[in-house]
Amino acid sequence: MALNVPLFNQMTPMSKAGEFYLCERPKLSFELTSPGMPALRAKKGTLFVTTQRLVFVPQPAVRLRDGATFSSFEMPLADISGEKFNQPIFGANNLTGTVKPSTGMGLTY
């Protein structure tokens, strides 16, 4: 996983070599929790699904407490485990799972 991957026009993730976009879903919310780190949340944004990864782009970008900006978040499909699609009786459908952090991100797993 990686925070703030390169975007085209501040809205669409730049594609990687051999990657194809499968679909995009607007108006989704996003939450990431990691031990020892404040939760990363966005109330609204777009999820891009490609042949290699999931990329969430909040709209507008979210200001974090330390002054940094959350403008995108990448989750490589190969690094996702324990994924579960939840369909509660009350509330919105959602996807939960574990994503292995990229080296150098300072996150625990």
Side-chain angles (χ1 to χ4, degrees), residues 13-94:
M14 300 290 281
S15 60
K16 295 183 175 190
E19 179 178 47
F20 298 96
Y21 286 88
L22 301 175
C23 67
E24 70 179 77
R25 294 291 179 253
K27 300 179 185 174
L28 298 179
S29 60
F30 177 86
E31 181 175 346
L32 169 78
T33 56
S34 179
M37 171 185 149
L40 188 62
R41 292 186 180 97
K43 292 182 181 178
K44 187 174 132 185
T46 302
L47 179 71
F48 294 86
V49 181
T50 77
T51 53
Q52 297 179 15
R53 60 196 173 141
L54 302 175
V55 181
F56 181 80
V57 179
Q59 286 137 3
V62 176
R63 270 287 208 217
L64 304 176
R65 282 191 275 174
D66 64 358
T69 302
F70 162 37
S71 61
S72 63
F73 192 81
E74 169 188 272
M75 298 159 280
L77 295 177
D79 293 344
I80 298 174
S81 63
E83 63 277 356
K84 183 179 177 193
F85 183 70
N86 306 296
Q87 293 183 293
I89 294 172
F90 299 104
N93 295 344
N94 61 79

